Amino acid sequence: MEPLLAIAIGILFAAAIYMMLRRSIVKLVIGLMLLSNAANLLIFVSAGLTRGGPPLVPQGLTAPQGTVADPLPQALVLTAIVIAFGVLSFAVVLVRRAWEIVRADDLDRMRDTDT
């Protein structure tokens, strides 16, 4: 299962870089979204895919019983999702504002700052 996920992550990273190198600013935003999703999957897969219970220590014990899930990758991915949503929403507003001013989607046509 993990080699299949590694291939999927590689495809997501490749698609994200391809989309970010296009001339359209909308494709740049889509590439940014794909890049953040690929990074989240990479964090999950690098932590290992194990099923387990919540990492709670019962009262009177010093360690959790049985197999527990690692909470660190989950916290990292949750934080990354929030940050990616903020960056993506900022990028969408920036693209909309650039479209209102320049009326072009092409990054080469947006180089002129006299408009």
Side-chain angles (χ1 to χ4, degrees):
M1 183 69 175
E2 289 180 0
L4 182 65
L5 284 174
I7 291 170
I9 291 168
I11 290 171
L12 275 176
F13 271 118
I17 298 298
Y18 178 77
M19 293 295 277
M20 291 174 74
L21 291 176
R22 306 305 327 150
R23 293 172 64 174
S24 170
I25 197 163
V26 174
K27 291 179 183 175
L28 179 99
V29 171
I30 292 171
L32 188 65
M33 182 180 60
L34 286 174
L35 188 68
S36 67
N37 288 334
N40 291 341
L41 278 176
L42 180 67
I43 293 171
F44 262 141
V45 172
S46 66
L49 299 174
T50 57
R51 288 185 179 252
L56 301 174
V57 179
Q59 191 170 9
L61 297 177
T62 59
Q65 295 176 334
T67 306
V68 295
D70 188 12
L72 183 63
Q74 295 173 12
L76 288 174
V77 168
L78 184 61
T79 304
I81 288 171
V82 171
I83 292 171
F85 179 73
V87 169
L88 188 64
S89 61
F90 175 73
V92 167
V93 170
L94 191 64
V95 165
R96 182 175 178 264
R97 184 69 179 142
W99 172 258
E100 288 176 357
I101 293 173
V102 181
R103 294 282 181 201
D105 187 28
D106 191 8
L107 288 173
D108 288 338
R109 292 184 61 198
M110 289 185 180
R111 290 179 192 251
D112 188 19
T113 58
D114 294 337
T115 55

